[in-house]
Amino acid sequence: QVQLVESGGGLVQAGGSLRLSCAASGRGFSNYAMGWFRQAPGKEREFVSAIDWGVIRTHYADAVKGRFTISRDNAKNTVALQMNSLKPEDTGVYYCTRVLRWGTPWAYDNWGQGTQVTVSS
């Protein structure tokens, strides 16, 4: 019942920054954890980060830890991904999603349409 729309992607030089946003419509946003995935050309979709509904826990993939920061604003029904020190290997389509189950086994639904991020050398 929740629809997600990503924005903020673009072209940036290595070492630069981008801030992605995900806007949710429909009821129930603040009751669920949210996450970000990405898919590079020729690769499978991979987990990037997640944040719980109470902003008590966050989780990051090893490849982005220390460079990316996930946040949310429940009053505005948005979740953001601040990406700093970007590398060419960060290139891909970034998707936000609702997290149905935190921890093993993780479960997700309500994927957005994605926003493209391209990092040049």
Side-chain angles (χ1 to χ4, degrees):
Q1 70 275 40
V2 175
Q3 297 185 44
L4 306 173
V5 179
E6 301 93 338
S7 63
L11 176 65
V12 65
Q13 291 183 325
S17 299
L18 285 173
R19 185 176 179 86
L20 306 183
S21 294
C22 174
S25 61
R27 297 185 299 135
F29 173 81
S30 63
N31 294 329
Y32 290 91
M34 300 292 294
W36 287 94
F37 279 70
R38 67 187 182 187
Q39 187 169 22
K43 301 290 186 178
E44 299 294 325
R45 189 176 297 186
E46 66 175 346
F47 172 80
V48 176
S49 185
I51 184 169
D52 69 6
W53 68 270
V55 200
I56 297 172
R57 293 178 293 180
T58 58
H59 186 61
Y60 297 91
D62 289 342
V64 307
K65 194 170 186 178
R67 300 187 297 118
F68 291 11
T69 303
I70 190 170
S71 62
R72 68 188 297 164
D73 186 338
N74 290 336
K76 296 182 178 180
N77 286 1
T78 58
V79 59
L81 185 70
Q82 178 67 43
M83 306 186 296
N84 298 328
S85 301
L86 283 162
K87 304 174 181 179
E89 52 263 43
D90 294 320
T91 294
V93 179
Y94 283 69
Y95 303 88
C96 70
T97 184
R98 186 169 67 174
V99 178
L100 297 180
R101 182 183 294 111
W102 186 280
T104 304
W106 293 80
Y108 315 91
D109 75 349
N110 289 101
W111 298 91
Q113 298 302 304
T115 185
Q116 296 191 21
V117 172
T118 303
V119 184
S120 63
S121 300

